[in-house]
Amino acid sequence: MTQDSQAQPRTGVVVVTHADYGAHLLHAAEFILGPQTGCAALCVDNTQSVDAIVERLKEAVVRCNEGPGVLLVTDMFGGTPTNLSLSLLGQEPPLCDLEVVTGVNLPMLLKALGARHLGPEQLAVEAKKAGGQGIVVAGELLRSRVKGS
């Protein structure tokens, strides 16, 4: 048995965003972490019908699912990429264990890709936390440190 065949299945990650944002974000994450498997970016734009995009989304989920399920990270709550992703949550029968997190940024994606031993629900919680912690007003942080010293 090779080391690869003993590897634990990991939660898949699909980045679903307006235009090419997700593809570029995934590229940046791979620049930092190295090539990733079990993940994909789906670009949503007005060149395809909603049905075609949903079909591509389903295909990406199936392709990225190694067993534990898939985390969908989207760019903005209320946007079309999120709404299409949410449509998969109530699907019967379910494609797999799914969770959706909105507001993807690079810290969130790095956490999601680095903690894929977690199931989709727990991975979503950790990704949300990392995404929020990645938003910093640098001047405010520096001023608070100067006042505190």
Side-chain angles (χ1 to χ4, degrees):
M1 202 178 266
T2 66
Q3 189 171 18
D4 285 341
S5 65
Q6 295 175 348
Q8 294 293 319
R10 301 176 305 160
T11 296
V13 176
V14 178
V15 185
V16 188
T17 64
H18 290 88
D20 296 333
Y21 175 57
H24 292 291
L25 202 54
L26 184 55
H27 179 73
E30 287 184 318
F31 175 78
I32 295 168
L33 299 174
Q36 299 291 306
T37 60
C39 61
L42 182 74
C43 304
V44 175
D45 60 29
N46 60 3
T47 63
Q48 294 189 15
S49 70
V50 168
D51 290 342
I53 295 168
V54 170
E55 194 57 38
R56 288 179 42 227
L57 181 56
K58 289 177 182 177
E59 291 169 5
V61 167
V62 168
R63 191 174 57 251
C64 293
N65 182 22
E66 295 179 1
V70 173
L71 176 64
L72 300 168
V73 291
T74 68
D75 52 4
M76 147 175 112
F77 185 74
T80 301
T82 299
N83 293 338
L84 296 177
S85 297
L86 292 174
S87 74
L88 299 185
L89 287 179
Q91 185 172 346
E92 289 294 335
L95 288 174
C96 63
D97 192 7
L98 285 174
E99 188 55 85
V100 177
V101 178
T102 66
V104 66
N105 58 22
L106 190 55
M108 176 188 286
L109 186 56
L110 291 172
K111 174 54 96 176
L113 292 172
R116 294 169 60 197
H117 59 282
L118 301 171
E121 188 175 331
Q122 185 61 38
L123 185 57
V125 170
E126 295 300 319
K128 175 187 170 190
K129 190 184 315 178
Q133 290 171 341
I135 300 171
V136 173
V137 177
E140 181 181 79
L141 179 67
L142 292 174
R143 285 187 293 276
S144 71
R145 287 186 178 176
V146 169
K147 287 180 183 175
S149 60

